[in-house]
Amino acid sequence: MSTMLKKGLIGLAAVLALNVHAADNSTPDGLIRQLSLETIETIKGDKAIQGGDVSKIAALVDKNIMPHVNFQRITSTAVGRYWRQATPEQQKRLQDEFKTLLMRTYAGALTQVKDQTIALKPLRASAEDTEVVVKTEVRGKGDAIQLDYRLEKTPAGWKIYDVNVLGIWLADQYKSSFGQEIGLNGIDGLIKALTDKNQKAAAAPAKG
């Protein structure tokens, strides 16, 4: 893994492991600012997260992050045109396994969070916009890493529906491989592939 990509993953991992209570989602940049400010100190103070405890990370995400994320939209974008062909049960399985995959992918990066800070760039949007991009920078040793968020305005406030690490949107990163797997083995084949990958990762010895 390149140094730049690792730094990008660290920044994304920082947002995936928040310990935030009642984050303000009345404005898109306000939501990202509050989540970001709470993140670094939470990671520094939680030895389980620093040790890559996936179950602890998942618990934090379920409690504190998922209320501010439209994960169905992230998953449906990654699955692409096949999403509408999936049954409600298949859609749920895809979301569950995709979330587990992401948690394990970024858990290792959490152990690398040390002295990073996250700075927001000025928001370029009007009051009438219902979808915006909030741009941030992860700053630490070396070059700053750009980390951007797509957010949508909902009746429940602003919600994140995609993340850009080093110029690549998260959903787009998986869209090609997901489409290839579905083309070969169907939607159930993708679910099985994700499940097998997650089970293999869970059985692997933890790296200290």
Side-chain angles (χ1 to χ4, degrees), residues 53-72:
D53 186 333
V54 176
S55 62
K56 183 69 177 291
I57 295 166
L60 286 172
V61 170
D62 284 336
K63 182 178 180 181
N64 301 309
I65 296 300
M66 283 302 133
H68 304 292
V69 176
N70 185 344
F71 201 78
Q72 176 177 323

Side-chain angles (χ1 to χ4, degrees), residues 1-10 105-106 108-109 112 166:
M1 180 182 295
S2 68
T3 300
M4 290 291 286
L5 179 56
K6 182 178 290 185
K7 288 182 178 179
L9 292 180
I10 289 170
T105 298
Y106 299 113
Q112 304 299 316
L166 300 175

